[in-house]
Amino acid sequence: MNFSSALRFRPEFDKVLYRCVVDGRFAFRKFHLSGLLFFKKMEDNSIRAVFQNEMGFTFFDFQWGAPSDSFQVNQIIPQLDKAALVKTLQKDFNLLLMKGLSPATEHVFQSGTETYHRFDLERGVVYYIAEQSKLQRIENVGKTKVITISLSGKNSDHDMPRSVVFDHHKANFTIRLNLIENAEN
């Protein structure tokens, strides 16, 4: 069978706005953050991801430089400025935006009605799983399953999904994104 590369699903956008809810539990404490997550492609082709509450207070501002996809933290609140958390969020967005994938490491196989596109990562592997030529989910696997990213409402290969759920199996938290349509400015 001849399969096309999963890189055809790489999102292309100028700006995308999501309603974002983060829920989790650490030790005996629960936490909840909500606000707006804004992805924007800048004039220099870099990409920014800014998470703010509804009043405009910025939780974080991340940037991926072009063309090398170098990552930098422009701003982050002290409560979130933990190396492990920043690395986790960077990896989440790298997986969603399909950053840092080497086409040379892609392996494709079929299982039932699903097509799995496997890429090697620095640590572990990632599977981009499509059904009927539509990207349905992303699974990051190390020694065990680490993250499942469920996608829905991708109208075309290059669209950002309408809904995204990041389920962190080991870290005990979820991030839910719901697209805000027709968001102007």
Side-chain angles (χ1 to χ4, degrees):
M1 248 185 195
N2 185 14
F3 296 106
S4 58
S5 174
L7 295 176
R8 76 181 184 277
F9 297 122
R10 182 173 277 153
E12 295 176 6
F13 56 88
D14 290 323
K15 58 184 173 181
V16 180
L17 184 64
Y18 285 100
R19 173 88 176 115
C20 179
V21 176
V22 181
D23 284 306
R25 199 174 61 187
F26 179 73
F28 297 107
R29 299 184 69 184
K30 289 184 178 182
F31 60 89
H32 173 86
L33 291 173
S34 67
L36 302 173
L37 180 61
F38 186 58
F39 290 100
K40 181 169 177 49
K41 187 172 190 175
M42 307 306 284
E43 288 181 15
D44 64 358
N45 286 326
S46 65
I47 293 178
R48 300 274 295 271
V50 179
F51 181 36
Q52 296 180 331
N53 71 7
E54 290 82 354
M55 298 300 292
F57 177 79
T58 300
F59 295 117
F60 64 73
D61 177 353
F62 297 154
Q63 183 169 345
W64 289 263
S68 66
D69 288 336
S70 59
F71 177 79
Q72 75 179 41
V73 176
N74 293 328
Q75 180 182 349
I76 191 165
I77 62 172
Q79 297 88 332
L80 298 179
D81 195 8
K82 312 290 184 241
L85 180 58
V86 171
K87 188 175 181 179
T88 298
L89 293 171
Q90 176 189 1
K91 187 174 194 179
D92 285 353
F93 297 140
N94 281 351
L95 295 173
L96 179 64
L97 300 172
M98 301 183 83
K99 300 257 181 225
L101 300 176
S102 171
T105 69
E106 184 176 14
H107 300 283
V108 182
F109 60 93
Q110 189 84 29
S111 178
T113 60
E114 296 180 322
T115 303
Y116 287 73
H117 300 265
R118 178 187 186 267
F119 292 88
D120 294 335
L121 299 176
E122 191 175 307
R123 292 180 58 186
V125 297
V126 61
Y127 294 96
Y128 288 86
I129 303 161
E131 190 166 359
Q132 298 176 354
S133 298
K134 290 196 179 218
L135 187 60
Q136 299 294 318
R137 70 185 183 280
I138 303 165
E139 293 183 357
N140 175 225
V141 180
K143 292 179 182 174
T144 60
K145 190 184 304 183
V146 181
I147 305 166
T148 301
I149 304 171
S150 303
L151 311 169
S152 64
K154 250 177 106 62
N155 295 326
S156 74
D157 287 352
H158 294 294
D159 282 349
M160 288 290 276
R162 295 174 53 82
S163 174
V164 182
V165 177
F166 297 84
D167 187 2
H168 290 264
H169 303 285
K170 288 182 168 183
N172 234 359
F173 75 96
T174 60
I175 301 171
R176 288 176 173 41
L177 304 178
N178 288 303
L179 185 67
I180 297 174
E181 306 247 10
N182 301 322
E184 296 296 323
N185 301 319

